[in-house]
Structures are given as structure tokens and as C-alpha cells.
Amino acid sequence: TRILEKTFYPHDPSGAGSTEIRTLNLAGQVTSILDKNGVLTEITTRENASGEKEITRRVRYQDSLGNAVDFTELERTDRFGNTVYRRDRNGHEASVAYKFSPVGSATESTETTDYLLENGTPIHYVEISRFNAQGEQIYFQNKNGRVFQYEYVKDEFGNNKEIREKENLPSSA
């Protein structure tokens, strides 16, 4: 099955917009995406008997100089769909650990990344996210220690109509 998605933009409703072609397998999983810039992403998903998945994304395109770009990214999820491992195009690996509420909702995730630079310098950093009972991210601490908090403003139907981000800046003494 192929899906052609055409997006029109509010600033130019009669413009050409952009298109994206998604290919799905019989199970309804997206197996490839071709975007408006000619970037082809091929997606292979393998699932084991306990529901854990390994998702490989192969990305191919030509850069602005006409050079072929071809790289692979890998992600592993637990049986609930939570990412537990990721390897990016540069081979940098990250593991993700979760804390859960008594009802099984993720309340916090800690992503730890370790890799070596070409000169052998070790890189280590941690990023922390916290989530409310609805699964919305309410807190994020990035690798540089910057902290962001998020507030969700709902409409009368409970849909998000606004997401507010606030950075907690260190106070100067």
C-alpha cells in the first residue's frame, strides 16, 4: 500500500505544498518514506516473541554537492514501545532507562550516551525527561544541565491547544 500525503501551509494555502510518499506492509507498518527532497528512508522492523522490536532505518539521498549520502540508524524498544537503545548515524550509542508509576505509565526516562571522539576523548552525558499521568513531557534536563518545564493548556474537549515551555535559568548570586 502506498500513501501520498500532501501538506498545504497556512501561509500559502494555494501553493504547491509538499508531498511525502509512505509505503506500508500488510501489517500496516511503514516500510519506506520518500520525502519532498528526495530523501528515502527504508524501515525494517523485527519483533521477537515477547513484543520487543528492533527498528533499522536506512537513509539515502544526495547532498547539495551531489554526493551520495547513505547511513543506517538502529533503535530497540521494549514490549510497550519504549525506546531502550539507539545508535545514530555516527555510531554513537544511547541507552534509555525508565521509571514507571504503579499503573505502568512511564514517569521518567534517563538517556545515557557514551562514545569516543576520533582522538580517543571519551564523551559521556545524561538527559532526563519526566512525564505526567497523561504521558506528556513536563520536564527535560539536557546534556548541558539546562532545565526546561512544559505546561499543557487544554481546550474544552481536553485537547492540547497550547504547550508552554519555560527554561529554568540559574540564578545569579
Side-chain angles (χ1 to χ4, degrees):
T1 303
R2 294 183 82 186
I3 297 173
L4 175 63
E5 181 178 295
K6 189 156 184 124
T7 304
F8 294 97
Y9 301 101
H11 68 278
D12 187 15
S14 60
S18 65
T19 58
E20 182 175 277
I21 299 171
R22 295 173 185 243
T23 305
L24 288 74
N25 63 16
L26 293 175
Q29 296 174 324
V30 176
T31 58
S32 70
I33 302 169
L34 180 62
D35 76 9
K36 67 176 186 166
N37 298 314
V39 176
L40 175 63
T41 303
E42 298 169 310
I43 304 165
T44 304
T45 303
R46 294 185 303 189
E47 185 172 350
N48 66 20
S50 64
E52 299 166 330
K53 293 181 181 176
E54 181 175 276
I55 304 154
T56 305
R57 293 177 188 87
R58 181 177 180 197
V59 180
R60 294 183 288 162
Y61 62 93
Q62 283 192 333
D63 68 14
S64 60
L65 301 174
N67 300 312
V69 177
D70 187 343
F71 63 87
T72 301
E73 298 178 328
L74 177 72
E75 181 177 313
R76 291 190 185 113
T77 65
D78 63 17
R79 64 189 176 117
F80 302 108
N82 300 310
T83 300
V84 294
Y85 171 84
R86 185 173 34 251
R87 184 180 67 229
D88 70 15
R89 67 184 283 174
N90 299 312
H92 301 164
E93 298 179 342
S95 61
V96 186
Y98 295 89
K99 291 181 182 175
F100 296 95
S101 72
V103 296
S105 301
T107 58
E108 182 174 292
S109 68
T110 302
E111 181 171 320
T112 305
T113 302
D114 290 291
Y115 61 93
L116 295 175
L117 296 176
E118 288 182 12
N119 66 6
T121 303
I123 300 295
H124 168 83
Y125 62 85
V126 174
E127 295 181 323
I128 299 170
S129 294
R130 294 192 182 116
F131 309 94
N132 64 19
Q134 292 75 39
E136 299 163 328
Q137 185 175 18
I138 56 172
Y139 173 96
F140 178 67
Q141 180 179 333
N142 72 12
K143 63 184 178 183
N144 300 315
R146 293 175 64 186
V147 173
F148 301 87
Q149 290 184 308
Y150 304 93
E151 178 186 355
Y152 298 83
V153 180
K154 310 285 186 181
D155 65 15
E156 64 271 18
F157 304 106
N159 300 312
N160 287 332
K161 69 177 188 178
E162 183 181 350
I163 302 172
R164 298 178 183 157
E165 176 185 86
K166 179 178 92 175
E167 181 175 3
N168 296 342
L169 298 172
S171 59
S172 54

